[in-house]
Amino acid sequence: MASPTSLPSSPPAGSAAGANIEPSDKPGRAKRLPREVRERQILDAAVTVFSQHGYHGASMDEVSEVAGISKPMIYAYLGSKEDLFSACIHREATCLLEAIVAGIHPGQPADVQLWHGLRSFFGFVGEHRESWRVLHRQSLAQGGPFTEELMSMRQRAITLVAAVLVRTGNDEGVGHAASRSGEALAAALVGAGESLADWWLDHPQESADLIAVRLMNLVWMGFGDLVEDRVWKPPAEPAEPAAQP
Amino acid sequence: MASPTSLPSSPPAGSAAGANIEPSDKPGRAKRLPREVRERQILDAAVTVFSQHGYHGASMDEVSEVAGISKPMIYAYLGSKEDLFSACIHREATCLLEAIVAGIHPGQPADVQLWHGLRSFFGFVGEHRESWRVLHRQSLAQGGPFTEELMSMRQRAITLVAAVLVRTGNDEGVGHAASRSGEALAAALVGAGESLADWWLDHPQESADLIAVRLMNLVWMGFGDLVEDRVWKPPAEPAEPAAQP
DNA sequence: CGACTTACCTACTCTGGAGTAAGGCTACGT
DNA sequence: ACGTAGCCTTACTCCAGAGTAGGTAAGTCG
């Protein structure tokens, strides 16, 4: 049966684009390669398989087959299945954050920095859909120790965004209400970005830039309204909801 | 080990709140009950277990234990594990949609109808976190035939929202640009709601109404800006937005 | 009271898949 | 050449968990 994702399979984030060793069809022995290279191949394969079947659904046999290597190598290099999954999450999260940081140039106004950060983020997700799938969706679906790795990444992202917001704070970029609670705003923005990227997985026809512009609009204009106190209020009612955000 | 979700466990959506038969500690035979009741109990247990461990991670033995009944009963009444999971999704999706529909009163202005729909939605998710978790997160994590059930629900929700937007269309509620593409707007709103609810799973300290107000603000004011052509534009740049870095 | 239906159970079978033991092959140093 | 370090494999063990066979209690209708 065909894979449910019929998109052209983008490579996981850590794979070296240049030196791809095609495994010979010879069923016997694989060519000897240094450990470093094999580990990367194994992680690539693991990301692919995990993103398709989820943690429990994936089998180490399939990972080994996709990696073009036998199963004991995986255990020798990366440890148990749980370790392997953690390693995947860690590598992909690191790559993602590096990509975002690389896109931001300090000194520019806040909205420009934010725009570049968002473009980098969605660009990464677009080019490494498997990575994002395993990073966000699959690691969330397993409630276990994997979530911590993700939470750590999220926290680093929030700190990064908050720094962007606050550093250029008292300019015209962000109002005083925003700079007072930069962390909270950053959390909201990061959450929105994650969710939007997740939604994007199921609507791949949109372009990365379009997605980024949309979020930028929503956040920048939306928050602008909120700062200017242009809030929509619920109609007066017997049961009173909580006060404004 | 303790469950990762330390929240007070809310009952799944289909459970009858009143007639809860406590299974006697007698390890032997359970009290004879009509099939209808048992099926509901089994489904309740299944939602709980699936929401905690995911589809693959859950075991039929645990479901049977939580349901207070032996495993063959599950197979006799609900069929295979796959069937059971599908039944869960179907039941929860139906309950959710019914809750939303019940909250909407036609004839009111669009924003009020939307507001009530959102409140019903987030109210449901808040009271049945397990249901939402299995409905959205777990069914998305398994790419298989389960997604269809979810897509069907999403489509019904989009149609519902689009009807609300269009029916009250040429009033002051929604601009002409909106009523022209009500379906697309509805899709965006539903997607935003889903994502926000999913985000909410990980931030349970917020109240349902606060979440609903936030989304309402973002959507209503945000779309208002868009309709009035107040869009944020990316800065002029050497590299065109379409090209990749 | 039997006869019959329906709810319910214990105690299995069997397969998929995690993890391992034990040993071959290859490259490089000397 | 020849040892040794490290890459790589076949061929297992073993267990969790899906699904079932076959039998027992408890109501219900004549």
Side-chain angles (χ1 to χ4, degrees), chain A residues 56-57 111 115-116 119 137-138 140-141 191 195 199 209 216-218 220-221 225-226 230-232 234-235 237 241 245, chain B residues 56-57 111 115-116 119 137-138 140-141 191 195 199 209 213 216-218 220-221 225 230-232 234-235 237 241-243:
Chain A
H56 288 287
D111 61 341
W115 163 243
H116 286 139
R119 273 192 66 182
R137 197 171 280 185
Q138 299 297 352
L140 274 184
S195 298
W199 175 88
D209 280 328
M216 195 67 196
N217 260 296
L218 215 56
W220 206 252
M221 305 304 283
D225 286 337
L226 292 183
R230 285 185 53 200
V231 292
W232 180 92
E237 237 179 326
Chain B
H56 289 287
D111 60 341
W115 162 244
H116 284 140
R119 274 193 66 180
R137 196 171 280 185
Q138 300 298 351
L140 274 183
S195 297
W199 175 88
D209 279 331
V213 169
M216 196 66 198
N217 260 296
L218 214 58
W220 206 251
M221 304 304 284
D225 287 336
R230 286 184 51 200
V231 292
W232 180 93
E237 235 179 328

Short mmCIF file of all heavy atoms in Angstrom, two decimals, chain A residues 56-57 111 115-116 119 137-138 140-141 191 195 199 209 216-218 220-221 225-226 230-232 234-235 237 241 245, chain B residues 56-57 111 115-116 119 137-138 140-141 191 195 199 209 213 216-218 220-221 225 230-232 234-235 237 241-243:
data_model
loop_
_atom_site.label_atom_id
_atom_site.label_comp_id
_atom_site.label_asym_id
_atom_site.label_seq_id
_atom_site.Cartn_x
_atom_site.Cartn_y
_atom_site.Cartn_z
N HIS A 56 5.04 4.11 18.58
CA HIS A 56 4.72 2.71 18.82
C HIS A 56 4.56 1.94 17.51
O HIS A 56 4.97 0.79 17.41
CB HIS A 56 3.43 2.59 19.63
CG HIS A 56 3.59 2.98 21.05
ND1 HIS A 56 4.25 2.20 21.97
CD2 HIS A 56 3.20 4.08 21.72
CE1 HIS A 56 4.25 2.80 23.15
NE2 HIS A 56 3.61 3.94 23.02
N GLY A 57 4.00 2.59 16.52
CA GLY A 57 3.75 1.91 15.26
C GLY A 57 5.00 1.59 14.47
O GLY A 57 5.02 0.66 13.68
N ASP A 111 9.51 44.26 13.99
CA ASP A 111 8.64 43.55 13.05
C ASP A 111 9.46 42.89 11.95
O ASP A 111 9.14 41.79 11.50
CB ASP A 111 7.56 44.48 12.48
CG ASP A 111 8.15 45.65 11.72
OD1 ASP A 111 9.34 45.93 11.94
OD2 ASP A 111 7.43 46.25 10.91
N TRP A 115 9.55 38.98 11.26
CA TRP A 115 9.22 38.49 9.92
C TRP A 115 10.27 37.51 9.42
O TRP A 115 9.96 36.43 8.92
CB TRP A 115 9.07 39.67 8.98
CG TRP A 115 9.13 39.35 7.53
CD1 TRP A 115 10.05 39.77 6.63
CD2 TRP A 115 8.21 38.53 6.80
NE1 TRP A 115 9.79 39.26 5.40
CE2 TRP A 115 8.66 38.50 5.46
CE3 TRP A 115 7.06 37.81 7.14
CZ2 TRP A 115 8.00 37.77 4.47
CZ3 TRP A 115 6.41 37.09 6.14
CH2 TRP A 115 6.88 37.07 4.83
N HIS A 116 11.52 37.87 9.61
CA HIS A 116 12.57 36.96 9.16
C HIS A 116 12.56 35.66 9.96
O HIS A 116 12.77 34.58 9.39
CB HIS A 116 13.94 37.64 9.25
CG HIS A 116 14.16 38.66 8.19
ND1 HIS A 116 14.77 39.87 8.42
CD2 HIS A 116 13.81 38.67 6.88
CE1 HIS A 116 14.81 40.55 7.30
NE2 HIS A 116 14.24 39.86 6.35
N ARG A 119 9.75 33.54 8.65
CA ARG A 119 10.07 32.97 7.34
C ARG A 119 11.02 31.79 7.50
O ARG A 119 10.86 30.76 6.85
CB ARG A 119 10.69 34.02 6.45
CG ARG A 119 9.68 34.83 5.69
CD ARG A 119 10.36 35.65 4.61
NE ARG A 119 10.95 34.82 3.58
CZ ARG A 119 11.63 35.32 2.56
NH1 ARG A 119 11.84 36.62 2.48
NH2 ARG A 119 12.13 34.52 1.66
N ARG A 137 4.04 16.60 16.24
CA ARG A 137 2.83 15.78 16.36
C ARG A 137 3.10 14.47 17.08
O ARG A 137 2.40 14.10 18.02
CB ARG A 137 2.27 15.51 14.96
CG ARG A 137 0.86 15.03 14.97
CD ARG A 137 0.28 14.97 13.58
NE ARG A 137 -0.16 16.28 13.10
CZ ARG A 137 -0.79 16.46 11.94
NH1 ARG A 137 -1.00 15.43 11.15
NH2 ARG A 137 -1.17 17.64 11.57
N GLN A 138 4.14 13.77 16.65
CA GLN A 138 4.39 12.46 17.26
C GLN A 138 4.88 12.58 18.69
O GLN A 138 4.50 11.78 19.55
CB GLN A 138 5.38 11.67 16.43
CG GLN A 138 4.92 11.39 15.01
CD GLN A 138 3.68 10.53 14.94
OE1 GLN A 138 3.23 10.00 15.96
NE2 GLN A 138 3.10 10.41 13.77
N LEU A 140 4.18 14.85 20.76
CA LEU A 140 3.06 15.24 21.61
C LEU A 140 2.14 14.07 21.86
O LEU A 140 1.56 13.94 22.94
CB LEU A 140 2.29 16.38 20.98
CG LEU A 140 2.81 17.77 21.27
CD1 LEU A 140 1.89 18.82 20.67
CD2 LEU A 140 2.94 18.00 22.76
N ALA A 141 1.99 13.23 20.84
CA ALA A 141 1.06 12.11 20.99
C ALA A 141 1.53 11.13 22.07
O ALA A 141 0.71 10.54 22.76
CB ALA A 141 0.89 11.39 19.65
N GLY A 191 3.22 29.63 20.28
CA GLY A 191 2.12 28.68 20.22
C GLY A 191 1.36 28.78 18.92
O GLY A 191 1.05 27.78 18.28
N SER A 195 1.06 25.79 16.11
CA SER A 195 -0.24 25.29 15.68
C SER A 195 -0.43 25.49 14.19
O SER A 195 -0.94 24.61 13.49
CB SER A 195 -1.35 26.00 16.45
OG SER A 195 -1.23 25.74 17.82
N TRP A 199 -1.08 22.74 11.39
CA TRP A 199 -2.21 22.80 10.46
C TRP A 199 -1.72 22.71 9.02
O TRP A 199 -2.32 22.07 8.16
CB TRP A 199 -2.96 24.12 10.69
CG TRP A 199 -4.07 24.38 9.73
CD1 TRP A 199 -5.36 23.98 9.82
CD2 TRP A 199 -3.96 25.12 8.50
NE1 TRP A 199 -6.07 24.42 8.74
CE2 TRP A 199 -5.24 25.12 7.92
CE3 TRP A 199 -2.93 25.78 7.86
CZ2 TRP A 199 -5.51 25.76 6.71
CZ3 TRP A 199 -3.19 26.41 6.65
CH2 TRP A 199 -4.47 26.40 6.10
N ASP A 209 5.75 31.24 2.50
CA ASP A 209 5.68 32.68 2.70
C ASP A 209 4.26 33.14 2.97
O ASP A 209 4.03 34.03 3.78
CB ASP A 209 6.25 33.41 1.48
CG ASP A 209 7.77 33.43 1.52
OD1 ASP A 209 8.30 33.47 2.64
OD2 ASP A 209 8.41 33.40 0.45
N MET A 216 1.95 36.71 10.51
CA MET A 216 2.47 38.05 10.81
C MET A 216 1.31 39.05 10.88
O MET A 216 1.23 39.87 11.80
CB MET A 216 3.45 38.44 9.71
CG MET A 216 4.32 39.61 10.07
SD MET A 216 5.46 39.26 11.41
CE MET A 216 5.94 40.92 11.86
N ASN A 217 0.44 38.97 9.91
CA ASN A 217 -0.73 39.85 9.91
C ASN A 217 -1.54 39.68 11.18
O ASN A 217 -1.85 40.64 11.88
CB ASN A 217 -1.62 39.53 8.71
CG ASN A 217 -1.41 40.51 7.59
OD1 ASN A 217 -1.69 41.69 7.75
ND2 ASN A 217 -0.87 40.03 6.50
N LEU A 218 -1.87 38.42 11.42
CA LEU A 218 -2.74 38.13 12.55
C LEU A 218 -2.12 38.66 13.83
O LEU A 218 -2.74 39.35 14.62
CB LEU A 218 -2.95 36.62 12.64
CG LEU A 218 -4.33 36.19 13.11
CD1 LEU A 218 -5.37 36.78 12.20
CD2 LEU A 218 -4.42 34.68 13.13
N TRP A 220 0.62 40.75 14.30
CA TRP A 220 1.02 42.15 14.39
C TRP A 220 -0.20 43.05 14.42
O TRP A 220 -0.36 43.87 15.32
CB TRP A 220 1.92 42.51 13.21
CG TRP A 220 2.83 43.64 13.55
CD1 TRP A 220 2.75 44.90 13.07
CD2 TRP A 220 3.93 43.60 14.46
NE1 TRP A 220 3.74 45.66 13.62
CE2 TRP A 220 4.48 44.89 14.48
CE3 TRP A 220 4.50 42.62 15.25
CZ2 TRP A 220 5.57 45.22 15.27
CZ3 TRP A 220 5.58 42.94 16.03
CH2 TRP A 220 6.11 44.22 16.04
N MET A 221 -1.07 42.86 13.47
CA MET A 221 -2.26 43.71 13.45
C MET A 221 -3.16 43.39 14.64
O MET A 221 -3.68 44.28 15.29
CB MET A 221 -3.03 43.49 12.15
CG MET A 221 -2.20 43.70 10.91
SD MET A 221 -1.43 45.33 10.87
CE MET A 221 -2.85 46.33 10.40
N ASP A 225 -4.23 45.99 17.57
CA ASP A 225 -5.57 46.34 18.02
C ASP A 225 -5.71 46.19 19.52
O ASP A 225 -6.27 47.05 20.20
CB ASP A 225 -6.60 45.44 17.32
CG ASP A 225 -6.76 45.84 15.86
OD1 ASP A 225 -6.44 47.00 15.54
OD2 ASP A 225 -7.19 45.00 15.07
N LEU A 226 -5.19 45.08 20.02
CA LEU A 226 -5.33 44.83 21.45
C LEU A 226 -4.64 45.93 22.25
O LEU A 226 -5.17 46.43 23.25
CB LEU A 226 -4.71 43.48 21.81
CG LEU A 226 -5.45 42.28 21.26
CD1 LEU A 226 -4.79 41.00 21.74
CD2 LEU A 226 -6.91 42.31 21.67
N ARG A 230 -8.65 48.20 21.14
CA ARG A 230 -9.79 47.92 20.25
C ARG A 230 -10.15 46.46 20.41
O ARG A 230 -9.78 45.62 19.58
CB ARG A 230 -9.41 48.20 18.80
CG ARG A 230 -9.32 49.68 18.45
CD ARG A 230 -9.07 49.81 16.97
NE ARG A 230 -10.07 49.06 16.19
CZ ARG A 230 -9.88 48.69 14.94
NH1 ARG A 230 -8.76 48.95 14.33
NH2 ARG A 230 -10.83 48.03 14.30
N VAL A 231 -10.81 46.10 21.47
CA VAL A 231 -11.14 44.70 21.70
C VAL A 231 -12.61 44.45 21.44
O VAL A 231 -13.46 45.31 21.69
CB VAL A 231 -10.79 44.26 23.14
CG1 VAL A 231 -9.29 44.27 23.32
CG2 VAL A 231 -11.45 45.15 24.13
N TRP A 232 -12.86 43.29 20.91
CA TRP A 232 -14.24 42.85 20.74
C TRP A 232 -14.73 42.34 22.08
O TRP A 232 -14.05 41.55 22.73
CB TRP A 232 -14.28 41.74 19.70
CG TRP A 232 -15.64 41.19 19.43
CD1 TRP A 232 -16.52 41.60 18.47
CD2 TRP A 232 -16.29 40.12 20.12
NE1 TRP A 232 -17.65 40.87 18.51
CE2 TRP A 232 -17.56 39.95 19.52
CE3 TRP A 232 -15.95 39.31 21.20
CZ2 TRP A 232 -18.46 38.99 19.95
CZ3 TRP A 232 -16.85 38.36 21.62
CH2 TRP A 232 -18.09 38.21 21.00
N PRO A 234 -17.72 40.47 24.45
CA PRO A 234 -18.92 39.63 24.38
C PRO A 234 -20.15 40.43 24.78
O PRO A 234 -20.05 41.38 25.57
CB PRO A 234 -18.63 38.52 25.38
CG PRO A 234 -17.60 39.08 26.28
CD PRO A 234 -16.79 40.02 25.47
N PRO A 235 -21.30 40.08 24.23
CA PRO A 235 -22.53 40.80 24.58
C PRO A 235 -22.88 40.61 26.05
O PRO A 235 -22.55 39.58 26.65
CB PRO A 235 -23.59 40.14 23.67
CG PRO A 235 -23.02 38.79 23.36
CD PRO A 235 -21.55 38.97 23.32
N GLU A 237 -24.66 39.56 29.29
CA GLU A 237 -25.34 38.27 29.45
C GLU A 237 -25.49 37.96 30.93
O GLU A 237 -24.73 38.48 31.75
CB GLU A 237 -24.47 37.18 28.80
CG GLU A 237 -25.20 36.40 27.75
CD GLU A 237 -24.27 35.37 27.15
OE1 GLU A 237 -23.08 35.68 27.05
OE2 GLU A 237 -24.74 34.28 26.82
N PRO A 241 -18.57 36.20 31.60
CA PRO A 241 -17.26 35.59 31.38
C PRO A 241 -16.15 36.42 32.01
O PRO A 241 -16.40 37.51 32.50
CB PRO A 241 -17.14 35.60 29.85
CG PRO A 241 -17.99 36.73 29.41
CD PRO A 241 -19.10 36.85 30.42
N PRO A 245 -8.67 39.91 28.01
CA PRO A 245 -7.32 39.30 28.06
C PRO A 245 -6.30 40.34 28.37
O PRO A 245 -5.37 40.60 27.89
CB PRO A 245 -7.15 38.68 26.68
CG PRO A 245 -8.16 39.31 25.81
CD PRO A 245 -9.27 39.77 26.69
N HIS B 56 -1.61 2.82 19.33
CA HIS B 56 -0.72 1.66 19.43
C HIS B 56 -0.34 1.36 20.87
O HIS B 56 -0.23 0.20 21.26
CB HIS B 56 0.53 1.88 18.58
CG HIS B 56 0.29 1.84 17.12
ND1 HIS B 56 0.05 0.67 16.45
CD2 HIS B 56 0.24 2.82 16.21
CE1 HIS B 56 -0.14 0.93 15.16
NE2 HIS B 56 -0.02 2.23 14.99
N GLY B 57 -0.14 2.39 21.63
CA GLY B 57 0.31 2.19 23.01
C GLY B 57 -0.75 1.59 23.92
O GLY B 57 -0.43 0.96 24.93
N ASP B 111 -21.76 37.81 14.73
CA ASP B 111 -20.73 37.73 15.76
C ASP B 111 -21.25 37.07 17.02
O ASP B 111 -20.53 36.33 17.69
CB ASP B 111 -20.13 39.11 16.05
CG ASP B 111 -21.17 40.08 16.55
OD1 ASP B 111 -22.37 39.82 16.33
OD2 ASP B 111 -20.80 41.09 17.17
N TRP B 115 -19.83 33.73 18.59
CA TRP B 115 -19.39 33.74 19.99
C TRP B 115 -19.98 32.57 20.76
O TRP B 115 -19.29 31.86 21.47
CB TRP B 115 -19.76 35.08 20.61
CG TRP B 115 -19.76 35.10 22.11
CD1 TRP B 115 -20.82 35.30 22.93
CD2 TRP B 115 -18.62 34.90 22.97
NE1 TRP B 115 -20.43 35.25 24.23
CE2 TRP B 115 -19.09 35.00 24.29
CE3 TRP B 115 -17.27 34.63 22.75
CZ2 TRP B 115 -18.25 34.85 25.39
CZ3 TRP B 115 -16.44 34.48 23.85
CH2 TRP B 115 -16.93 34.59 25.15
N HIS B 116 -21.26 32.34 20.55
CA HIS B 116 -21.89 31.23 21.26
C HIS B 116 -21.35 29.89 20.78
O HIS B 116 -21.13 28.97 21.58
CB HIS B 116 -23.41 31.29 21.07
CG HIS B 116 -24.06 32.34 21.91
ND1 HIS B 116 -25.09 33.13 21.45
CD2 HIS B 116 -23.79 32.78 23.16
CE1 HIS B 116 -25.45 33.99 22.40
NE2 HIS B 116 -24.67 33.80 23.44
N ARG B 119 -17.97 29.43 22.38
CA ARG B 119 -18.09 29.10 23.80
C ARG B 119 -18.51 27.65 23.99
O ARG B 119 -17.98 26.94 24.85
CB ARG B 119 -19.12 30.02 24.47
CG ARG B 119 -18.52 31.31 24.95
CD ARG B 119 -19.48 32.04 25.86
NE ARG B 119 -19.72 31.34 27.11
CZ ARG B 119 -20.52 31.79 28.06
NH1 ARG B 119 -21.16 32.93 27.89
NH2 ARG B 119 -20.69 31.11 29.16
N ARG B 137 -5.72 14.85 18.65
CA ARG B 137 -4.29 14.58 18.66
C ARG B 137 -4.00 13.13 18.27
O ARG B 137 -3.18 12.86 17.40
CB ARG B 137 -3.74 14.88 20.05
CG ARG B 137 -2.25 15.01 20.08
CD ARG B 137 -1.77 15.52 21.42
NE ARG B 137 -1.90 16.97 21.55
CZ ARG B 137 -1.45 17.64 22.60
NH1 ARG B 137 -0.89 17.00 23.59
NH2 ARG B 137 -1.59 18.94 22.66
N GLN B 138 -4.69 12.19 18.90
CA GLN B 138 -4.38 10.79 18.62
C GLN B 138 -4.81 10.36 17.24
O GLN B 138 -4.12 9.61 16.57
CB GLN B 138 -5.02 9.89 19.68
CG GLN B 138 -4.55 10.15 21.09
CD GLN B 138 -3.08 9.92 21.30
OE1 GLN B 138 -2.40 9.39 20.44
NE2 GLN B 138 -2.57 10.34 22.44
N LEU B 140 -4.98 12.19 14.67
CA LEU B 140 -4.08 12.77 13.69
C LEU B 140 -2.75 12.04 13.66
O LEU B 140 -2.12 11.91 12.60
CB LEU B 140 -3.85 14.25 14.00
CG LEU B 140 -4.88 15.21 13.42
CD1 LEU B 140 -4.48 16.63 13.73
CD2 LEU B 140 -5.02 15.02 11.93
N ALA B 141 -2.32 11.59 14.83
CA ALA B 141 -1.02 10.93 14.91
C ALA B 141 -1.03 9.62 14.12
O ALA B 141 -0.02 9.27 13.51
CB ALA B 141 -0.63 10.67 16.36
N GLY B 191 -9.92 25.84 11.67
CA GLY B 191 -8.54 25.43 11.90
C GLY B 191 -7.95 26.13 13.10
O GLY B 191 -7.29 25.51 13.94
N SER B 195 -6.62 24.26 16.51
CA SER B 195 -5.25 24.43 16.98
C SER B 195 -5.23 25.03 18.38
O SER B 195 -4.45 24.62 19.24
CB SER B 195 -4.48 25.33 16.02
OG SER B 195 -4.41 24.73 14.76
N TRP B 199 -3.66 23.48 21.67
CA TRP B 199 -2.70 24.21 22.51
C TRP B 199 -3.19 24.25 23.96
O TRP B 199 -2.41 24.13 24.89
CB TRP B 199 -2.53 25.62 21.94
CG TRP B 199 -1.67 26.52 22.77
CD1 TRP B 199 -0.32 26.66 22.69
CD2 TRP B 199 -2.11 27.41 23.78
NE1 TRP B 199 0.10 27.58 23.61
CE2 TRP B 199 -0.96 28.06 24.29
CE3 TRP B 199 -3.36 27.73 24.32
CZ2 TRP B 199 -1.03 29.01 25.31
CZ3 TRP B 199 -3.42 28.67 25.33
CH2 TRP B 199 -2.27 29.30 25.81
N ASP B 209 -13.70 30.40 28.71
CA ASP B 209 -14.19 31.66 28.18
C ASP B 209 -13.06 32.57 27.74
O ASP B 209 -13.16 33.26 26.73
CB ASP B 209 -15.05 32.36 29.23
CG ASP B 209 -16.46 31.81 29.26
OD1 ASP B 209 -16.91 31.34 28.19
OD2 ASP B 209 -17.08 31.82 30.32
N VAL B 213 -12.75 34.08 24.10
CA VAL B 213 -12.67 35.52 23.84
C VAL B 213 -11.44 35.85 23.02
O VAL B 213 -11.49 36.66 22.09
CB VAL B 213 -12.65 36.30 25.18
CG1 VAL B 213 -12.29 37.76 24.94
CG2 VAL B 213 -13.99 36.21 25.86
N MET B 216 -11.99 34.90 19.47
CA MET B 216 -12.97 35.81 18.89
C MET B 216 -12.31 37.13 18.53
O MET B 216 -12.52 37.66 17.44
CB MET B 216 -14.08 36.03 19.92
CG MET B 216 -15.33 36.64 19.36
SD MET B 216 -16.19 35.55 18.20
CE MET B 216 -17.24 36.75 17.38
N ASN B 217 -11.52 37.64 19.43
CA ASN B 217 -10.80 38.88 19.16
C ASN B 217 -9.93 38.75 17.93
O ASN B 217 -9.96 39.56 17.02
CB ASN B 217 -9.92 39.23 20.36
CG ASN B 217 -10.56 40.29 21.21
OD1 ASN B 217 -10.76 41.41 20.76
ND2 ASN B 217 -10.92 39.92 22.42
N LEU B 218 -9.10 37.71 17.98
CA LEU B 218 -8.13 37.53 16.91
C LEU B 218 -8.85 37.44 15.57
O LEU B 218 -8.50 38.12 14.61
CB LEU B 218 -7.34 36.25 17.17
CG LEU B 218 -5.90 36.29 16.73
CD1 LEU B 218 -5.20 37.43 17.42
CD2 LEU B 218 -5.22 34.97 17.04
N TRP B 220 -12.15 38.12 14.78
CA TRP B 220 -13.06 39.18 14.37
C TRP B 220 -12.29 40.46 14.06
O TRP B 220 -12.42 41.04 12.99
CB TRP B 220 -14.10 39.43 15.47
CG TRP B 220 -15.36 39.99 14.93
CD1 TRP B 220 -15.84 41.25 15.08
CD2 TRP B 220 -16.31 39.29 14.12
NE1 TRP B 220 -17.01 41.39 14.42
CE2 TRP B 220 -17.34 40.22 13.82
CE3 TRP B 220 -16.40 38.00 13.62
CZ2 TRP B 220 -18.43 39.86 13.04
CZ3 TRP B 220 -17.50 37.67 12.84
CH2 TRP B 220 -18.49 38.58 12.56
N MET B 221 -11.47 40.87 14.98
CA MET B 221 -10.71 42.09 14.73
C MET B 221 -9.70 41.87 13.63
O MET B 221 -9.53 42.72 12.76
CB MET B 221 -9.98 42.52 16.01
CG MET B 221 -10.90 42.70 17.20
SD MET B 221 -12.24 43.85 16.90
CE MET B 221 -11.35 45.39 17.00
N ASP B 225 -9.59 43.91 10.09
CA ASP B 225 -8.47 44.64 9.51
C ASP B 225 -8.23 44.21 8.08
O ASP B 225 -8.02 45.03 7.18
CB ASP B 225 -7.21 44.41 10.35
CG ASP B 225 -7.28 45.16 11.67
OD1 ASP B 225 -8.03 46.15 11.72
OD2 ASP B 225 -6.60 44.75 12.61
N ARG B 230 -6.28 46.76 5.86
CA ARG B 230 -5.17 47.18 6.72
C ARG B 230 -4.24 45.99 6.91
O ARG B 230 -4.29 45.31 7.92
CB ARG B 230 -5.70 47.64 8.09
CG ARG B 230 -6.39 48.98 8.09
CD ARG B 230 -6.78 49.35 9.51
NE ARG B 230 -5.64 49.21 10.42
CZ ARG B 230 -5.74 49.09 11.73
NH1 ARG B 230 -6.92 49.08 12.30
NH2 ARG B 230 -4.67 48.97 12.49
N VAL B 231 -3.46 45.70 5.94
CA VAL B 231 -2.60 44.53 6.04
C VAL B 231 -1.16 44.97 6.26
O VAL B 231 -0.71 45.99 5.76
CB VAL B 231 -2.66 43.65 4.77
CG1 VAL B 231 -4.02 43.02 4.68
CG2 VAL B 231 -2.37 44.47 3.53
N TRP B 232 -0.50 44.15 7.05
CA TRP B 232 0.94 44.36 7.24
C TRP B 232 1.66 43.79 6.04
O TRP B 232 1.40 42.67 5.62
CB TRP B 232 1.36 43.63 8.52
CG TRP B 232 2.82 43.75 8.84
CD1 TRP B 232 3.41 44.69 9.63
CD2 TRP B 232 3.87 42.90 8.38
NE1 TRP B 232 4.75 44.47 9.70
CE2 TRP B 232 5.07 43.38 8.94
CE3 TRP B 232 3.94 41.79 7.56
CZ2 TRP B 232 6.31 42.79 8.71
CZ3 TRP B 232 5.15 41.20 7.31
CH2 TRP B 232 6.33 41.70 7.89
N PRO B 234 5.32 42.85 4.04
CA PRO B 234 6.76 42.63 4.27
C PRO B 234 7.57 43.78 3.69
O PRO B 234 7.16 44.38 2.69
CB PRO B 234 7.04 41.32 3.52
CG PRO B 234 5.93 41.17 2.57
CD PRO B 234 4.74 41.83 3.17
N PRO B 235 8.70 44.12 4.30
CA PRO B 235 9.51 45.25 3.84
C PRO B 235 10.13 44.95 2.48
O PRO B 235 10.40 43.80 2.15
CB PRO B 235 10.58 45.36 4.93
CG PRO B 235 10.69 44.00 5.49
CD PRO B 235 9.31 43.43 5.44
N GLU B 237 12.85 44.41 -0.24
CA GLU B 237 14.07 43.68 0.06
C GLU B 237 14.76 43.29 -1.23
O GLU B 237 14.11 43.14 -2.26
CB GLU B 237 13.70 42.38 0.81
CG GLU B 237 14.40 42.22 2.12
CD GLU B 237 13.95 40.95 2.79
OE1 GLU B 237 12.79 40.57 2.60
OE2 GLU B 237 14.78 40.35 3.48
N PRO B 241 10.39 37.61 -1.80
CA PRO B 241 9.84 36.64 -0.85
C PRO B 241 9.69 35.24 -1.43
O PRO B 241 9.72 34.27 -0.72
CB PRO B 241 8.47 37.23 -0.51
CG PRO B 241 8.61 38.68 -0.78
CD PRO B 241 9.60 38.81 -1.92
N ALA B 242 9.50 35.12 -2.75
CA ALA B 242 9.26 33.80 -3.32
C ALA B 242 10.53 32.95 -3.35
O ALA B 242 10.46 31.74 -3.21
CB ALA B 242 8.72 33.94 -4.75
N ALA B 243 11.69 33.59 -3.53
CA ALA B 243 12.92 32.83 -3.68
C ALA B 243 13.39 32.28 -2.34
O ALA B 243 13.14 32.86 -1.29
CB ALA B 243 14.01 33.70 -4.28
#
